Amino acid sequence: MRVLKYYYFMHTLDTLFELETLHKHENEYHFRCRLNTEHDIFSGHFPEMPIVPGVCLLHAVKLAVSQVVDNDVSFLKIRECKFLSAINPTENSEFEIEFTLDSEKAVKAGIFIGKTQCMKLKATADF
């Protein structure tokens, strides 16, 4: 039963948001992420005050990096991950992902709503 719940959760992440490439310059990339504000995940996280789960923000960064390298990406090591401001889908239906990727596969990423940084990440990718 646990495996099915995990599969359902990971499968439903595909419908949680839509990524759009905004621009890239050398090793800097910018994406817009549009949330599906009616997604089932928000009924449980949290019913009275929905917020995007942190694991979903990490997944969004992983998908953006995967699009850039045109391959599935996983994070081998997360050196730093800080959630600085919650994203409430009823107040903000989109956010931006900015990241750099170097030749050592080091990812430095931030998630922003306007000028407000909601998450920062330093990780090593594998692809």
Side-chain angles (χ1 to χ4, degrees):
M1 186 65 127
R2 272 190 149 161
V3 173
L4 289 176
K5 286 181 181 178
Y6 176 77
Y7 172 78
Y8 175 77
F9 174 75
M10 293 308 289
H11 179 69
T12 62
L13 282 181
D14 293 339
T15 61
L16 178 58
F17 49 74
E18 178 182 309
L19 285 175
E20 172 190 359
T21 305
L22 294 179
H23 57 88
K24 50 188 164 185
H25 176 71
E26 295 178 8
N27 69 337
E28 296 180 14
Y29 305 90
H30 299 259
F31 283 77
R32 176 175 295 124
C33 188
R34 288 189 180 89
L35 292 167
N36 172 1
T37 59
E38 302 299 317
H39 196 278
D40 288 342
I41 203 165
F42 299 122
S43 65
H45 199 272
F46 297 96
E48 299 300 316
M49 177 66 169
I51 61 170
V52 180
V55 69
C56 296
L57 297 176
L58 283 169
H59 187 69
V61 173
K62 182 181 89 95
L63 289 179
V65 176
S66 294
Q67 282 189 21
V68 167
V69 300
D70 196 27
N71 202 350
D72 287 337
V73 168
S74 60
F75 294 128
L76 286 178
K77 183 176 183 180
I78 295 177
R79 295 187 313 275
E80 179 182 359
C81 183
K82 293 185 180 178
F83 301 100
L84 306 168
S85 182
I87 299 176
N88 180 331
T90 61
E91 296 172 359
N92 298 286
S93 61
E94 61 184 40
F95 56 85
E96 292 192 10
I97 301 170
E98 299 177 4
F99 69 91
T100 59
L101 177 65
D102 69 18
S103 61
E104 304 285 316
K105 299 183 181 178
V107 176
K108 291 182 183 175
I111 290 182
F112 297 86
I113 294 175
K115 293 184 180 191
T116 302
Q117 188 167 12
C118 302
M119 185 189 95
K120 69 178 177 177
L121 172 71
K122 292 180 183 175
T124 303
D126 183 37
F127 49 88

